[in-house]
Amino acid sequence: MLVHALVREDGTVGADELYTVANTLGMSDQQVRLCVKRLVSEGRFTHEGRGRRAKLHATTDARRALAPNADFLRYAFQQDAGLAPWDGVWHLAAFAVPESARTARDALRETLVRLGGIPLQGGLYVCANPWEPYVEEVAHRLGAHGALTLLTTTDLRRGDVQEPAELARRLWPLQEIADRYHRLGRIARPRLVRLTGPAELSSSALLTTAVELAAELTRAMEPDPLLPPQLLPRPWPGARARALVARCWAALHERDQGEARPTLFRLYVDITRETADRATP
């Protein structure tokens, strides 16, 4: 996460910057060296130079994968702004992949969960958002599209429970998800105070803050099914935490001195600005 968060818009990561931020976050130089070695051996980055003067170059595939959840982050901010109201439709996916294709079966199951799905019973998953394009893309890639069934319904019941918000409460671990956002809020608040205060902050301090926020945002959002606000308890800590993070990104942008910025930094700023523009009448 640290290396990916520091990739600049030209696809490079400076080793000196990487080691400085890593040390500030409590990581040792040895940890960084091992991480870089692994990323290079996996073909995600190439390495040029030695020591702190070295530079990493992200490969094309690595740059494409740096922000795979941009669509979901954008959608979350749209939900928070009331720009993605729920239409009352539940989206279901069922699959029956044989044991001989266990790897594909497991990968498809993991994809459904990552996309916000929850199992209703063996091989049948439900999501509150239109996930079909993402599910089908992965199923095609895994060679499991022929074993996949997709359907939608506005009449979902489990036992005697049919009320949508109550179904959501019973199906998804909402308290666990909320706790992650409470943690994100606790981390974002003091950083927002620091970013909006009068004290000067070094480039490495700003980058460290950006990495901390990106890591905690990822930690909170990866298990979040992004249920529509109509299905969530009010007030929902996810919306409040994301609003805090958006203010932090705005403050980071104001302090930017025209240096090459990390790609994730630009991405987050663009998403929050785009959502704000759409929400403004």
Side-chain angles (χ1 to χ4, degrees), residues 89-93 112 115-121 124-129 131 153 156 171-172 225 227:
V89 175
W90 298 99
H91 300 257
L92 293 98
L112 293 174
L115 290 173
I118 202 79
L120 291 173
Q121 59 187 57
L124 178 63
Y125 289 72
V126 63
C127 177
N129 294 310
W131 61 355
T153 183
L156 181 66
L171 290 171
W172 282 274
L227 293 173

Side-chain angles (χ1 to χ4, degrees), residues 2-268:
L2 172 63
V3 177
H4 284 184
L6 291 180
V7 174
R8 299 286 183 172
E9 294 183 15
D10 63 357
T12 65
V13 180
D16 184 56
E17 192 170 78
L18 175 60
Y19 281 105
T20 299
V21 175
N23 293 161
T24 304
L25 292 171
M27 303 176 192
S28 68
D29 286 2
Q30 179 65 6
Q31 284 178 294
V32 176
R33 283 193 292 270
L34 290 174
C35 177
V36 169
K37 183 177 180 181
R38 186 174 72 249
L39 289 171
V40 171
S41 67
E42 292 174 352
R44 301 185 190 184
F45 288 82
T46 59
H47 190 270
E48 172 191 348
R50 297 177 60 84
R52 287 181 176 260
R53 294 186 177 182
K55 184 177 290 187
L56 295 175
H57 296 266
T59 62
T60 301
D61 287 343
R63 295 184 68 176
R64 191 180 300 120
L66 285 178
N69 296 320
D71 287 348
F72 306 116
L73 180 61
R74 182 177 290 105
Y75 188 68
F77 276 107
Q78 290 172 355
Q79 286 182 320
D80 297 341
L83 299 174
W86 191 45
D87 57 5
V89 175
W90 298 99
H91 300 257
L92 293 98
F95 62 91
V97 181
E99 178 67 19
S100 59
R102 180 191 299 179
T103 300
R105 183 186 63 195
D106 292 347
L108 183 56
R109 182 187 300 116
E110 291 169 4
T111 295
L112 293 174
V113 173
R114 180 176 58 81
L115 290 173
I118 202 79
L120 291 173
Q121 59 187 57
L124 178 63
Y125 289 72
V126 63
C127 177
N129 294 310
W131 61 355
E132 288 81 2
Y134 301 100
V135 174
E136 289 196 282
E137 189 276 327
V138 172
H140 275 297
R141 180 157 42 84
L142 295 171
H145 191 259
L148 176 70
T149 299
L150 299 171
L151 62 151
T152 60
T153 183
T154 56
D155 181 21
L156 181 66
R157 285 173 286 175
R158 185 169 227 192
D160 294 329
V161 180
Q162 186 175 16
E163 198 279 317
E166 179 62 17
L167 275 173
R169 187 184 70 81
R170 296 197 182 198
L171 290 171
W172 282 274
L174 297 185
Q175 187 57 56
E176 178 183 325
I177 296 166
D179 289 343
R180 289 174 179 263
Y181 280 117
H182 285 307
R183 171 187 166 94
L184 175 59
R186 290 194 298 270
I187 288 173
R189 286 187 192 94
R191 284 157 181 77
L192 178 61
V193 171
R194 191 182 315 142
L195 289 169
T196 54
E200 290 291 327
L201 295 174
S202 66
S203 175
S204 63
L206 293 174
L207 282 172
T208 299
T209 299
V211 170
E212 289 172 327
L213 290 169
E216 289 302 326
L217 182 61
T218 299
R219 186 200 303 270
M221 287 199 60
E222 278 191 344
D224 185 357
L226 297 182
L227 293 173
Q230 295 91 327
L231 303 182
L232 293 170
R234 298 293 186 91
W236 179 241
R240 291 184 296 183
R242 283 190 290 265
L244 276 171
V245 171
R247 292 172 63 190
C248 288
W249 287 115
L252 279 165
H253 181 73
E254 288 180 5
R255 285 180 176 265
D256 179 39
Q257 299 301 312
E259 300 176 4
R261 292 178 291 168
T263 300
L264 282 181
F265 175 70
R266 176 184 55 78
L267 173 70
Y268 291 160

